[in-house]
Amino acid sequence: MAIYNYRKGSTTSTILTKEQLLQLRYATLSGADFLQSSDNHSSIQDKLRNVYLGNLNTVFGINSVSTIATRLSLIYDGMPRSTRNTVATAANTSVNHFSVIFSNADSNGAKLVTVNITYYELFNATSGTTTLTLPVSVTATRYHI
């Protein structure tokens, strides 16, 4: 069994709709929940099935639901619980950021929002290969009205 760890990844800037903010929030929450509870493989697939592929790619760096589920399972099995909890807590912080940014966009009548998303990379500690990403911080830089 491989050992997994995390490291701070990149920060990217992107323009999102309010619907995309909600989908990114939901996908990130689903990933964080899985790392803390180990839902079964099909459960995470069911949760992510209605998320647009581009939004899955924005959250996980992968746009295949089955690959995301497989990799989350590998990480769950190969990452110590305390490390998984650290990653999940950071991801849940970004879930809150997505919620606040959505609320601000909605109350301001913004159609689009420019955000900076900072990621953790979850990686195979032996090979150094990134397995998937999770947002850990999201900041709005501009609301487009």
Side-chain angles (χ1 to χ4, degrees):
M1 172 174 58
I3 305 295
Y4 290 87
N5 208 338
Y6 72 97
R7 60 188 166 221
K8 184 177 179 192
S10 63
T11 298
T12 61
S13 181
T14 188
I15 298 173
L16 302 170
T17 66
K18 290 187 290 186
E19 180 183 1
Q20 285 175 302
L21 286 167
L22 291 177
Q23 286 210 346
L24 297 179
R25 178 195 176 282
Y26 179 76
T28 303
L29 179 62
S30 297
D33 285 351
F34 185 88
L35 290 177
Q36 291 182 306
S37 68
S38 182
D39 288 339
N40 65 42
H41 194 268
S42 63
S43 176
I44 191 69
Q45 286 183 321
D46 289 342
K47 286 182 179 181
L48 297 177
R49 185 163 281 120
N50 293 322
V51 177
Y52 294 124
L53 297 180
N55 294 334
L56 289 175
N57 194 58
T58 299
V59 170
F60 298 106
I62 304 163
N63 62 9
S64 164
V65 172
S66 62
T67 302
I68 293 166
T70 298
R71 291 186 180 182
L72 280 170
S73 295
L74 290 170
I75 291 165
Y76 184 89
D77 291 338
M79 185 179 275
R81 180 188 307 220
S82 62
T83 306
R84 282 195 326 266
N85 287 340
T86 298
V87 171
T89 299
N92 280 322
T93 298
S94 75
V95 168
N96 292 334
H97 295 165
F98 281 124
S99 295
V100 168
I101 292 167
F102 173 84
S103 294
N104 289 342
D106 202 40
S107 65
N108 293 328
K111 305 259 187 255
L112 301 169
V113 182
T114 302
V115 297
N116 289 333
I117 304 173
T118 302
Y119 295 90
Y120 275 171
E121 295 178 348
L122 308 181
F123 68 97
N124 180 311
T126 304
S127 69
T129 304
T130 298
T131 304
L132 57 79
T133 60
L134 271 176
V136 294
S137 177
V138 185
T139 56
T141 59
R142 182 172 178 212
Y143 292 90
H144 306 265
I145 299 180

